[in-house]
Amino acid sequence: MEKNIPLFNWQIDLQNSIIDKIDNDIVLMDKPIIKSTFDYPFKVKVTTAIICLSGRSEGEINLQPFETKASSMAIILPDQILQHKYTSEDFTGLFIIMSDKFTQSLNLQEAFPLFLNVLDNPMVSLGQETLEAIVSWYYMMQKVVRYKENPYRLETLRNMTRAFYYGIGYQFHKISKEKSQLRQDILITNFLTLAKEHYKEQRGVKFYADKLCLTPKYLSTLIKDRSGRSSNEWIDSYVILEAKALLKSTNMTIQQVADELNFPSQSFFGKYFKRHVGISPKEYKNM
């Protein structure tokens, strides 16, 4: 059963692109112009860095809004759900796509803090000097990929990518340091982290309150006051987002989606989905 949700259909969604790649380990796309829009959420299964050179693009990563604009970079991590909202006509950028196999081969155990920072801040603005350095790094990578006579291309790219991680990690770490968080904000962050991990099995507030050593009433009030959405709304949002992505972007049946999300029956899932979306799973899948 195919459950992977593709990142892009390169043949349709990215036009006028110069694509360089080594198998499926690493793919470089030079200033692609996105012609179509994504009407539904889709899950990424690779690490993707997008360096925006002109124009802007808006969307959501795991329900968190983000905007990329000229002289900025966004990093999207595996298993995050991306929903595209808008891309300007003049948008161009450089795309670096790395497979799980490739990123794991980097052996960057000390990069875990960067991983956490990127989860909270997927987009970073780049100064002119930093932007020029990253663009130069990209085109150096491109030259290595194109030099097919070199039997050590992949290892060369690994070393270049390690240098990239160490260099750009500082930018994301600086953002994280600059954002001071109150205790309440930390609790909200912890709740959202738990919700992302357990929404398929646990949809009751008590489970999360117990994990955070809080009462359900206090947690619900805190989440509502600080985020504008109740804890139940956040949990339901993750469930519906995953359901939409699975219905639209895989060949899973409605029953299989219901099973994947741990609903007791297809009928129960259908009523839950329609209550939140306004239409049935079948209607949404066939849109």
Side-chain angles (χ1 to χ4, degrees):
M1 177 178 61
E2 179 60 46
K3 290 167 53 178
N4 290 345
I5 302 171
L7 176 62
F8 294 115
N9 183 333
W10 297 342
Q11 304 303 318
I12 297 174
D13 297 307
L14 294 170
Q15 305 293 329
N16 301 325
S17 306
I18 301 172
I19 298 178
D20 297 281
K21 65 175 185 172
I22 298 180
D23 298 325
N24 291 320
D25 289 310
I26 187 161
V27 179
L28 306 176
M29 291 186 286
D30 192 342
K31 300 178 184 176
I33 300 173
I34 301 176
K35 292 295 187 183
S36 67
T37 58
F38 299 96
D39 296 325
Y40 50 87
F42 55 96
K43 184 176 290 187
V44 300
K45 301 300 291 181
V46 290
T47 298
T48 304
I50 304 171
I51 304 157
C52 181
L53 302 177
S54 65
R56 67 188 183 90
S57 181
E58 298 177 6
E60 291 183 353
I61 298 176
N62 281 3
L63 300 177
Q64 302 297 323
F66 79 96
E67 177 187 26
T68 55
K69 51 188 177 181
S71 300
S72 70
M73 183 175 71
I75 294 182
I76 305 167
L77 299 171
D79 293 321
Q80 291 187 314
I81 295 180
L82 178 65
Q83 184 157 19
H84 173 265
K85 299 291 187 181
Y86 167 80
T87 297
S88 64
E89 289 292 330
D90 60 341
F91 175 86
T92 61
L94 304 175
F95 285 54
I96 304 106
I97 299 174
M98 295 171 281
S99 69
D100 274 347
K101 177 183 174 183
F102 181 82
T103 54
Q104 289 173 12
S105 73
L106 299 176
N107 294 320
L108 287 173
Q109 290 86 359
E110 63 270 36
F112 186 67
L114 170 60
F115 171 82
L116 295 178
N117 291 334
V118 170
L119 281 178
D120 292 333
N121 308 289
M123 196 280 294
V124 61
S125 295
L126 303 172
Q128 188 60 33
E129 186 176 342
T130 303
L131 175 65
E132 290 175 358
I134 291 176
V135 171
S136 295
W137 168 80
Y138 175 91
Y139 286 118
M140 287 175 63
M141 297 269 286
Q142 187 182 69
K143 288 181 180 179
V144 172
V145 172
R146 292 180 178 180
Y147 187 38
K148 297 182 180 180
E149 292 81 4
N150 180 5
Y152 304 107
R153 285 188 303 160
L154 204 55
E155 187 57 38
T156 302
L157 291 173
R158 286 193 186 98
N159 288 324
M160 293 177 68
T161 304
R162 290 185 186 103
F164 169 77
Y165 267 95
Y166 287 121
I168 201 60
Y170 167 72
Q171 299 291 331
F172 287 93
H173 178 68
K174 184 170 65 173
I175 289 177
S176 185
K177 291 278 286 186
E178 289 172 353
K179 288 187 174 182
S180 60
Q181 289 185 306
L182 300 174
R183 180 176 182 271
Q184 291 89 342
D185 296 322
I186 295 173
L187 287 173
I188 291 175
T189 299
N190 291 341
F191 164 74
L192 293 177
T193 299
L194 286 169
K196 291 172 189 175
E197 293 175 357
H198 299 288
Y199 66 88
K200 289 184 181 180
E201 299 84 19
Q202 301 291 340
R203 292 191 262 274
V205 178
K206 187 177 185 304
F207 170 83
Y208 300 97
D210 289 345
K211 286 285 187 181
L212 296 170
C213 300
L214 302 171
T215 66
K217 182 178 179 180
Y218 178 79
L219 178 61
S220 298
T221 301
L222 172 65
I223 299 297
K224 181 70 173 179
D225 289 346
R226 302 290 292 185
S227 73
R229 303 171 73 176
S230 71
S231 48
N232 279 326
E233 286 174 329
W234 276 109
I235 297 166
D236 290 337
S237 293
Y238 286 121
V239 176
I240 292 298
L241 189 65
E242 178 81 8
K244 285 181 175 180
L246 293 173
L247 288 168
K248 271 291 190 181
S249 301
T250 73
N251 61 1
M252 295 174 70
T253 66
I254 295 172
Q255 179 63 62
Q256 288 168 338
V257 173
D259 292 341
E260 175 71 14
L261 297 175
N262 290 295
F263 282 91
S265 67
Q266 180 177 329
S267 174
F268 193 94
F269 168 63
K271 291 176 182 177
Y272 176 93
F273 188 91
K274 188 169 185 178
R275 185 167 70 250
H276 290 283
V277 182
I279 57 176
S280 70
K282 183 178 180 180
E283 289 173 313
Y284 182 81
K285 188 176 182 66
N286 294 332
M287 283 176 57

